[in-house]
């Protein structure tokens, strides 16, 4: 484990309609959460090519969060199902290359779940902090 | 656009917004602005108090000209709020509006890291770097315009839905009004009087029902439900299930060759029908035949057969005779209509208050809900307007009203929200029993009396003067005397600070409201989100209370959240106005986020075809090769195909793979790409 001042670098790729709106709602409600995550907005989690996530880990990300709508709530009907399937497979790939699969997380946060977004943030930061720096971090630089 | 050629040298302008102290309160704006100047491709960085103000937007416009910018980044609030504003400014400066990218440093930064200014500032710098990386790769995009179907649909025929349909129709728009019950009227048709004016509910509702039935621009489809929805704003294809009614209208009879036949509402069939079942309109407090009219003031006046209870004895067919209005072999029919915009007005149900065991509803005969009270006190109700105790038919003299029954309840069994109209209708109920039953006294157990509307507070004072008793305290439990069936109401009078055990003849529970049973299924058909309580989610709680995140779908009435009749009608008029805009404009612009096939790379494997939820993709032969083809009008831009394509041959406009990878790299590897 690195020094105690170490802060994880976490990428969140989130959908415009549910999770991004939920994150905005957490902001409007001034719900405080740890500042270690940087969000990239896509229209739907279905857009997320697993290679984006592999690229993030290759670049040294300590964790990646994918967050979309609840099942049945997808703005595009079923993009989140496809994303979930891909993330599920990708987790086994991560394990196979020796990376903890907990570094990749998929969650479902709706546009009205600002409080849940904050909880997810806390949880993801806690999980990744406990795992420590990504073994790929050094070689990325 | 789709070529991977080397583009012009990017020149990005970065503008950091203070938003008063909203952002500047926890983020060092100057530091972020100075940092932006060090980033590759950044030609100018600036800051301003309020970027969305006219001087703020002018900074963008002027900088585009002065620095020959190829892209604009504004670090401010959420793109869900102000992306359209700054796209407008970008366009005004002479750039394609899609050359704009927003860095969210308010909702997802300054507001959520208020006590960590250093971390927040670092996060803002990262957000700007990520946005600049994307802005450097943005391309010109042209939104596609599509014509708008000159018709609208309103789902739900309560007072909100009727008002919305009337407004649309009176604005000259062909409107389909869909109602699942055999008659329009909704909840309001079950009410006796309305607060605070004490207007008879039916008296003010029936003229509207008649207007709806007579309006030549309204196609009224009762006993009909939405089966499927396809398409997008301006071009919805809605498939309707017309439930088997078993009774023909005059027109339908004529179409079958029975000229002069069809149902005329005479009621002979109802007289001979041998099936007796609970009447849903009267909440099970009255009998109903299998062939029925929903309530005395139905519109349209047309009988309906409940095929779940009908025994097909043919007695009704025989008595109907030459009118030949009854068809016992009727089946559900389907029809698809095209509309440009849609209003949902699906209303509410009463929370199943028996789940609050402590009040004994359904266990104790003389504990009723407010809606049952409405039917019992209504002249057209099961008792002809005589309020009686269900246990023995006696006239109650001492009646307790329990407010917030299941509302404002955080125990997990009830609803956390205020149902908003229970206080007022309970005051009205108190007035009604004082007026109708000499010597009767209403006792109102309340937490707060919320009489917030026009003339509501005055009505509250009036009811106090009339002799209603108010006890501030939530009812802990209700116990029944097994012999007299009287009820002991146990509560704490919090103003006097002492417990109460009051024996009353009857208890009326002002039960909470919840979204109607079909709301969940309906909203999923239309792609509308809901709040945590299940109410349909408006696009913005303050600035867009009638819209939804699905363009072209609007909300009216209680389906969006509890509201009384005046507020429902007002929102319905707002929704009708909003829904008429795309129709009157005649065409709408769709965001150009659709997929493009990079034909040089596409191997024609076809794996994307089945991934598309909109059947927008197909394989075609081109120059002797098989390649994928996108039907732009069908593509909604989700990118599910682009997230999969093994060859990277699908170019998702505005969310391209190089753009997203540049964002990831910018965050993790720093400024250089």
């Amino acid at each position: 484990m690195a020094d105690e001042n170490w802060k994880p670098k976490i990428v969140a790729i989130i959908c415009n309609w549910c999770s991004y709106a939920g994150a905005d709602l957490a902001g409007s409600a001034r719900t405080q959460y740890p500042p270690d995550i940087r969000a990239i907005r896509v229209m739907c989690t279905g857009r997320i090519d697993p290679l984006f996530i592999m690229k993030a880990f290759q670049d040294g990300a300590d964790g990646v969060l994918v967050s979309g709508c609840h099942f049945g709530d997808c703005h595009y009907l079923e993009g989140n199902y496809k994303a979930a399937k891909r993330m599920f497979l990708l987790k086994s790939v991560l394990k196979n290359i020796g990376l903890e699969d907990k570094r990749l997380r998929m969650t479902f946060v709706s546009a009205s779940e600002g409080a849940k977004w904050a909880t997810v943030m806390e949880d993801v930061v806690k999980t990744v902090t406990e795992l420590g720096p990504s073994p790929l971090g050094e070689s990325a630089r | 656009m789709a070529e991977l050629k080397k583009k012009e040298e990017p020149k990005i302008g970065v503008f950091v917004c203070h938003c008063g102290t909203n952002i500047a309160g926890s983020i060092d704006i100057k530091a972020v602005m100075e940092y932006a100047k060090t980033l590759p491709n950044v030609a100018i960085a600036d800051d301003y108090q309020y970027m969305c103000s006219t001087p703020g937007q002018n900074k963008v416009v002027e900088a585009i000209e002065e620095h020959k910018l190829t892209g604009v980044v504004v670090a401010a609030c959420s793109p869900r709020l102000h992306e359209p504003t700054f796209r407008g400014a970008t366009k005004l400066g002479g750039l394609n509006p899609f050359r704009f990218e927003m860095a969210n440093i308010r909702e997802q930064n300054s507001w959520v890291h208020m006590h960590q200014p250093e971390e927040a500032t670092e996060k803002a710098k990262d957000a700007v770097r990520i946005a600049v990386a994307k802005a450097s790769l943005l391309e010109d995009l042209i939104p596609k315009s599509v014509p708008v179907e000159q018709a609208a649909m309103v789902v739900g025929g309560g007072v909100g839905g009727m008002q919305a349909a009337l407004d649309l129709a009176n604005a000259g728009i062909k409107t389909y009004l869909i109602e699942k019950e055999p008659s329009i009227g909704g909840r309001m048709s079950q009410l006796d009087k309305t607060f605070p004016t004490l207007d008879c509910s039916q008296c003010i509702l029936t003229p509207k029902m008649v207007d709806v039935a007579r309006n030549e621009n309204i196609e009224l489809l009762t006993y009909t439900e939405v089966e499927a929805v396809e398409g997008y704003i301006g071009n919805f294809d809605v498939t309707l299930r017309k439930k088997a009614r078993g009774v023909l209208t005059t027109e339908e009879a004529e179409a079958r060759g029975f000229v002069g036949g069809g149902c005329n509402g005479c009621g002979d069939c109802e007289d001979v029908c041998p099936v007796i079942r609970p009447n849903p309109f009267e909440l099970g407090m009255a009998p109903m035949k299998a062939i029925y009219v929903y309530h005395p003031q139905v519109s349209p006046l047309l009988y309906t057969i409940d095929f779940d209870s009908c025994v097909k004895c043919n007695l009704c067919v025989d008595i109907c005779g030459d009118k030949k209005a009854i068809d016992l072999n009727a089946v559900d029919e389907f029809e698809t209509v095209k509309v440009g915009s849609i209003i949902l007005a699906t209303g509410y149900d009463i929370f199943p208050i028996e789940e609050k065991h402590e009040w004994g509803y359904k266990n104790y005969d003389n504990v009723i809900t407010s809606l049952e009270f409405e039917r019992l006190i209504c002249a057209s109700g099961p008792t002809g307007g005589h309020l009686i105790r269900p246990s023995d038919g006696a006239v109650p003299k001492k009646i307790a009203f329990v407010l917030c029954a299941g509302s404002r309840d955080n125990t997990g069994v009830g609803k956390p929200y205020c149902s908003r109209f229970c206080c007022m209708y309970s005051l009205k109920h108190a007035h009604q029993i004082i007026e109708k039953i000499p010597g009767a006294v209403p006792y109102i157990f309340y937490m707060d009396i919320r009489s917030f509307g026009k003339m509501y507070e005055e009505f509250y004072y009036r009811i106090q003067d009339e002799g209603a008793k108010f006890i501030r305290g939530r009812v802990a439990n209700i116990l029944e005397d097994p012999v007299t069936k009287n009820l002991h109401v146990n509560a704490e009078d919090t103003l006097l600070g002492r417990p109460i055990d009051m024996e009353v003849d009857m208890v009326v529970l002002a039960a909470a409201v919840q979204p109607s049973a079909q709301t969940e299924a309906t909203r999923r058909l239309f792609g509308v989100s809901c709040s945590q309580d299940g109410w349909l989610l408006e696009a913005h709680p303050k600035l867009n209370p009638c819209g939804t995140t699905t363009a072209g779908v609007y909300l009216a009435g209680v389906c969006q959240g509890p509201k009384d009749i005046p507020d429902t009608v007002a929102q319905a008029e707002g929704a009708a106005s909003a829904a008429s805009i795309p129709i009157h404009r005649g065409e709408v612009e769709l965001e150009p986020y659709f997929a493009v096939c990079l034909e040089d790379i596409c191997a024609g494997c076809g794996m994307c075809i089945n991934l598309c939820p909109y059947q927008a993709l197909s394989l075609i032969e081109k120059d002797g090769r098989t390649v994928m083809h996108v039907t732009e009008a069908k593509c909604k831009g989700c990118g599910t195909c682009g997230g999969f394509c093994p060859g990277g041959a699908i170019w998702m406009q505005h969310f391209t793979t190089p753009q997203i990878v540049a964002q990831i790299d910018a965050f993790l590897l720093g400024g250089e790409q």
Side-chain angles (χ1 to χ4, degrees):
Chain A
M1 183 84 184
D3 69 290
E4 56 192 53
N5 290 326
W6 175 78
K7 292 283 182 193
K9 283 187 157 219
I10 302 170
V11 183
I13 311 182
I14 60 182
C15 86
N16 178 63
W17 302 101
C18 293
S19 291
Y20 200 91
D24 278 355
L25 189 65
S28 305
R30 314 297 198 274
T31 312
Q32 305 295 300
Y33 57 77
D36 307 300
I37 298 180
R38 307 290 181 263
I40 291 172
R41 181 171 68 121
V42 290
M43 295 312 277
C44 177
T45 48
R47 169 69 187 102
I48 301 170
D49 189 326
L51 290 176
F52 296 165
I53 291 156
M54 295 308 281
K55 185 73 172 76
F57 281 121
Q58 192 186 0
D59 286 356
D62 300 304
V64 175
L65 168 70
V66 168
S67 190
C69 308
H70 287 279
F71 288 140
D73 258 5
C74 177
H75 193 75
Y76 305 101
L77 310 178
E78 51 198 40
N80 53 353
Y81 286 97
K82 310 258 164 66
K85 239 169 145 178
R86 289 169 195 167
M87 296 314 129
F88 194 68
L89 280 172
L90 190 57
K91 271 176 168 281
S92 67
V93 174
L94 291 182
K95 267 194 253 183
N96 280 326
I97 61 169
L99 207 59
E100 299 93 335
D101 68 337
K102 277 187 175 176
R103 291 188 188 274
L104 170 63
R105 170 100 177 259
M106 181 160 188
T107 60
F108 308 94
V109 177
S110 83
S112 64
E113 292 177 330
K116 183 178 175 187
W117 176 255
T119 312
V120 165
M121 292 290 99
E122 304 238 355
D123 203 45
V124 169
V125 170
K126 183 166 170 277
T127 306
V128 177
T129 307
E130 280 169 7
L131 288 169
S134 160
L136 297 172
E138 281 307 305
S139 57
R141 255 141 239 290
Chain B
M1 58 191 171
E3 294 81 23
L4 290 169
K5 67 183 181 197
K6 184 77 185 157
K7 290 207 297 231
E8 80 272 313
E9 192 67 27
K11 281 186 175 177
I12 310 299
V14 178
F15 303 87
V16 188
C17 181
H18 297 238
C19 196
T21 56
N22 278 317
I23 297 171
S26 37
I27 291 175
D28 183 342
I29 302 290
K30 293 288 174 203
V32 175
M33 197 258 288
E34 291 303 326
Y35 173 76
K37 287 179 180 169
T38 69
L39 292 171
N41 300 331
V42 172
I44 175 195
D46 202 350
D47 66 299
Y48 192 67
Q49 275 290 324
Y50 294 102
M51 278 308 296
C52 58
S53 66
T54 306
Q57 291 191 56
N58 283 344
K59 274 181 183 285
V60 175
V61 175
E62 286 158 16
I64 292 172
E65 176 113 347
E66 190 183 333
H67 298 275
K68 304 277 175 279
L69 299 181
T70 63
V72 174
V73 168
V74 174
C77 50
S78 171
R80 293 174 58 86
L81 193 63
H82 264 313
E83 191 173 63
T85 310
F86 295 114
R87 274 188 182 164
T90 305
K91 191 178 177 187
L92 209 60
L95 269 183
N96 182 286
F98 294 91
R99 295 289 190 128
F100 169 74
E101 176 69 10
M102 199 146 185
N104 183 340
I105 60 168
R106 194 180 75 170
E107 280 85 344
Q108 297 185 25
N109 191 339
S110 68
W111 277 353
V112 289
H113 312 308
M114 295 176 87
H115 313 299
Q116 293 166 285
E118 279 172 31
E119 287 88 346
T121 303
E122 286 310 306
K123 185 172 172 179
K125 287 177 182 174
D126 286 352
V128 167
R129 191 169 74 239
I130 292 167
V132 168
K134 178 160 180 183
S136 303
L137 296 173
L138 288 175
E139 308 163 303
D140 288 355
L141 297 176
I142 310 296
K144 53 185 172 184
S145 279
V146 292
V148 174
E149 195 66 40
Q150 294 295 302
M153 174 176 289
V154 179
V155 182
V159 65
M162 287 196 293
Q163 184 65 49
L166 281 170
D167 281 11
L168 287 165
N170 289 336
I173 297 166
K174 159 91 180 174
T175 305
Y176 298 91
L177 178 57
I178 313 301
E179 168 58 50
K180 69 178 190 306
E181 301 294 350
S183 169
I184 51 172
R187 288 280 170 224
M188 192 174 164
S189 61
Q190 289 179 293
L191 309 181
D192 182 37
K193 299 282 189 294
T194 57
F195 61 79
T197 53
L198 299 174
D199 282 322
C200 158
S201 183
Q202 285 283 20
C203 307
I204 55 176
L205 186 68
T206 41
K208 277 211 190 299
M209 290 165 66
V210 171
D211 284 353
V212 166
R214 287 197 183 140
N215 194 305
E216 57 188 19
N217 276 337
I218 295 179
E219 185 165 337
L220 178 57
L221 294 154
T222 54
Y223 214 47
T224 298
E225 290 179 14
V226 176
E227 184 76 10
V229 184
E230 281 180 25
Y232 48 88
I233 180 171
N235 297 275
F236 291 106
D237 291 311
V238 185
T239 304
L240 303 170
R241 173 191 287 268
K242 296 171 153 177
K243 293 185 279 187
R245 187 164 212 149
V247 176
L248 305 180
T249 62
T250 320
E251 296 77 30
E252 285 165 345
E254 216 160 279
R256 291 194 189 186
F258 315 140
V259 179
C263 181
N264 62 5
C266 68
D268 290 346
C269 50
E270 189 178 1
D271 293 340
V272 299
C273 178
V275 177
I276 294 177
R277 65 194 178 100
N279 181 331
F281 183 79
E282 303 290 1
L283 309 166
M285 296 187 294
M288 186 178 247
K289 297 292 185 68
I291 187 162
Y292 64 103
V293 285
Y294 192 51
H295 62 81
Q297 282 123 315
V298 288
S299 177
L301 176 55
L302 183 63
Y303 272 77
T304 305
I305 297 173
D306 174 48
F307 281 107
D308 290 339
S309 57
C310 172
V311 293
K312 301 205 175 178
C313 64
N314 266 331
L315 286 172
C316 54
V317 178
D318 294 342
I319 196 96
C320 192
D322 290 342
K323 292 196 288 294
K324 295 188 177 177
I326 297 171
D327 175 8
L328 292 180
N329 298 315
V331 290
D332 292 359
E333 288 172 18
F334 297 89
E335 180 186 354
T336 301
V337 297
K338 283 182 165 296
V339 293
S341 55
I342 293 163
I343 294 174
L344 301 182
T346 52
Y348 68 96
D349 283 340
I350 300 293
F351 168 71
I353 197 64
E354 62 271 22
E355 289 180 17
K356 301 290 290 183
H357 302 297
E358 59 267 38
W359 296 323
Y361 178 67
K362 287 199 174 168
N363 280 334
Y364 304 152
D365 292 345
N366 294 328
V367 177
I368 63 171
T369 66
S370 301
L371 197 57
E372 288 167 343
F373 182 93
E374 292 283 350
R375 295 314 302 154
L376 289 174
I377 202 88
C378 180
S380 68
T383 58
H386 300 287
L387 183 67
I388 51 171
R389 302 208 314 168
S391 68
D392 53 11
V395 177
K397 294 280 184 177
K398 202 172 174 183
I399 303 173
F401 290 87
V402 179
L403 269 55
C404 298
S407 303
R408 304 173 69 196
D409 183 329
N410 289 313
T411 60
V413 182
K415 303 290 180 183
Y417 50 80
C418 167
S419 295
R420 281 187 98 234
F421 43 82
C422 332
C423 282
M424 291 309 296
Y425 70 57
S426 294
L427 294 175
K428 177 199 69 179
H429 290 169
H431 166 83
Q432 285 178 294
I433 60 171
I434 291 170
E435 184 184 67
K436 282 204 169 186
I437 307 173
V441 184
Y443 291 87
I444 298 174
F445 290 84
Y446 70 102
M447 285 163 68
D448 305 281
I449 294 290
R450 296 186 164 175
S451 51
F452 51 83
K454 191 175 180 180
M455 297 302 287
Y456 288 12
E457 188 72 5
E458 293 86 336
F459 187 70
Y460 175 27
Y461 291 142
R462 173 180 168 186
I463 305 309
Q464 288 177 343
D465 290 344
E466 285 179 349
K469 307 291 183 206
F470 291 81
I471 299 146
R472 203 189 81 175
R474 190 166 210 158
V475 173
N477 67 20
I478 295 170
L479 298 172
E480 184 186 60
D481 183 325
V483 179
T484 62
K485 301 283 180 185
N486 284 352
L487 300 154
H488 287 266
V489 179
N490 292 299
E492 184 193 350
D493 186 330
T494 57
L495 292 180
L496 295 177
R498 65 184 184 203
I500 294 182
D501 175 358
M502 183 184 286
E503 186 175 348
V504 297
D505 301 330
M506 186 183 232
V507 171
V508 182
L509 302 175
V513 295
Q514 63 182 21
S516 62
Q518 276 110 327
T519 301
E520 181 65 15
T522 308
R523 79 168 181 87
R524 291 197 170 188
L525 286 176
F526 288 95
V528 172
S529 302
C530 68
S531 63
Q532 275 168 303
D533 303 316
W535 303 109
L536 300 184
L537 195 65
E538 63 285 344
H540 190 282
K542 295 173 188 70
L543 303 179
N544 196 352
C546 298
T548 69
T549 48
T550 301
V553 180
Y554 308 88
L555 305 176
V558 183
C559 66
Q560 182 252 339
K563 52 181 72 68
D564 56 16
I565 295 166
D567 286 1
T568 291
V569 172
Q571 193 185 19
E573 299 205 288
S577 164
S580 70
I581 291 170
I583 293 172
H584 281 151
R585 283 187 65 143
E587 60 174 32
V588 285
E589 274 191 355
L590 303 180
E591 294 208 275
Y593 297 162
F594 47 85
V596 175
C597 177
L598 303 178
E599 289 170 358
D600 297 348
I601 307 175
C602 177
C605 71
M607 303 208 52
C608 51
I609 309 293
N610 289 329
L611 284 176
C612 179
Y614 304 108
Q615 292 84 46
L617 312 181
S618 54
L619 288 178
I620 57 163
E621 293 297 320
K622 198 166 180 185
D623 305 330
R625 291 175 60 228
T626 303
V627 290
M628 187 272 276
H629 173 75
V630 183
T631 307
E632 285 180 6
K634 285 186 179 175
C635 175
K636 291 197 183 186
C638 63
T640 302
C641 54
F644 178 81
C645 178
I650 296 175
W651 189 257
M652 285 311 305
Q653 303 204 101
H654 211 62
F655 293 91
T656 66
T657 298
Q659 286 166 1
I660 295 172
V661 170
Q663 287 176 290
I664 293 169
D665 287 349
F667 166 39
L668 294 159
L669 303 179
E672 303 302 326
Q673 292 155 36

